[in-house]
Amino acid sequence: GESVGLHLPTLSVQEGDNSIINCAYSNSASDYFIWYKQESGKGPQFIIDIRSNMDKRQGQRVTVLLNKTVKHLSLQIAATQPGDSAVYFCAERNTGNQFYFGTGTSLTVIP
Amino acid sequence: DTEVTQTPKHLVMGMTNKKSLKCEQHMGHRAMYWYKQKAKKPPELMFVYSYEKLSINESVPSRFSPECPNSSLLNLHLHALQPEDSALYLCASSQDPAGAYEQYFGPGTRLTVT
């Protein structure tokens, strides 16, 4: 399943499928990006980050891709599990060294 | 210990009340933050403390007053709030005030203004 983040804030996927969550960022000068996961009733939790000198970074079951040309960031979750159900936010570090969050995408995993 | 704690978890207050939210971290982080999050919206930055000094105020109304008593503690004093201030208030900390590393978030305080 795939979302376009800012335009489609919800995404439903079958358990075991791969998920792709997209984020369009606004500032071409932003140089550091973070994906956070926020479960209901909890604060955002760090998933993975990427700096602007990289195009791709992999973690455990997650991969972040950065396309600076079109100012686009994506989070790929492999073999999505019910515990992955949450809201996912991308955050960009601006020229003032502070992070600003995107709209978020709500991911629902169907067992 | 990679935890940011916040108290209370829930708070209901009237528009004439004065209350405080508290945040604590013991990771030695030198930057601490307050965010406000409305339902189904992303967190919005309110204040940043860098080395215990207020470095950023994102044009927050004066009815919100932050305080950083020491490097581990961050308070948010609330006075004469409005119902539209009802939200989840998140505290975060980071190793580096320049934003070179990720922020660690607390669970938040759910505030309701009646």
Side-chain angles (χ1 to χ4, degrees):
Chain A
E2 182 171 346
S3 86
V4 294
L6 295 177
H7 305 290
L8 290 173
T10 61
L11 175 65
S12 295
V13 298
Q14 289 290 138
E15 181 178 358
D17 286 353
N18 296 334
S19 302
I20 299 175
I21 300 172
N22 297 297
C23 178
Y25 63 93
S26 56
N27 189 342
S28 58
S30 295
D31 62 354
Y32 181 38
F33 304 86
I34 299 177
W35 279 102
Y36 287 95
K37 171 186 180 182
Q38 187 174 24
E39 297 175 270
S40 181
K42 297 184 178 180
Q45 176 187 7
F46 171 87
I47 301 174
I48 192 167
D49 58 1
I50 189 167
R51 299 184 192 274
S52 58
N53 61 350
M54 302 175 71
D55 298 321
K56 179 179 179 179
R57 189 151 190 246
Q58 288 185 289
Q60 187 177 12
R61 283 201 307 118
V62 294
T63 300
V64 55
L65 299 177
L66 175 62
N67 185 329
K68 295 180 287 294
T69 303
V70 295
K71 293 188 288 187
H72 183 269
L73 198 65
S74 69
L75 176 70
Q76 300 177 3
I77 305 174
T80 314
Q81 302 169 358
D84 296 326
S85 293
V87 177
Y88 290 81
F89 293 102
C90 65
E92 62 179 297
R93 184 177 73 172
N94 69 1
T95 51
N97 291 331
Q98 300 310 323
F99 287 94
Y100 292 92
F101 285 71
T103 303
T105 297
S106 176
L107 174 66
T108 300
V109 181
I110 304 165
Chain B
D1 182 5
T2 59
E3 189 179 23
V4 175
T5 59
Q6 291 187 244
T7 56
K9 290 192 189 309
H10 301 275
L11 178 62
V12 179
M13 60 185 291
M15 290 188 284
T16 58
N17 291 160
K18 284 186 181 181
K19 296 286 184 184
S20 297
L21 309 185
K22 297 187 183 300
C23 173
E24 190 166 3
Q25 57 88 14
H26 294 288
M27 294 177 277
H29 288 174
R30 304 318 302 266
M32 295 186 77
Y33 310 79
W34 281 114
Y35 286 85
K36 173 183 178 179
Q37 186 177 27
K38 300 284 271 185
K40 300 188 188 301
K41 297 291 187 183
E44 295 178 356
L45 184 64
M46 299 175 71
F47 301 105
V48 181
Y49 272 84
S50 173
Y51 295 99
E52 300 162 49
K53 290 188 178 355
L54 183 64
S55 59
I56 292 179
N57 175 341
E58 292 283 298
S59 303
V60 179
S62 60
R63 57 186 184 269
F64 295 90
S65 175
E67 178 196 19
C68 190
N70 60 54
S71 60
S72 299
L73 294 174
L74 186 66
N75 298 323
L76 186 62
H77 303 297
L78 313 173
H79 174 55
L81 295 193
Q82 303 297 309
E84 59 265 29
D85 296 321
S86 298
L88 181 69
Y89 288 84
L90 293 162
C91 173
S93 71
S94 179
Q95 180 178 342
D96 173 27
Y101 299 96
E102 72 272 22
Q103 296 173 355
Y104 290 78
F105 283 83
T109 293
R110 177 74 60 188
L111 174 67
T112 302
V113 182
T114 61

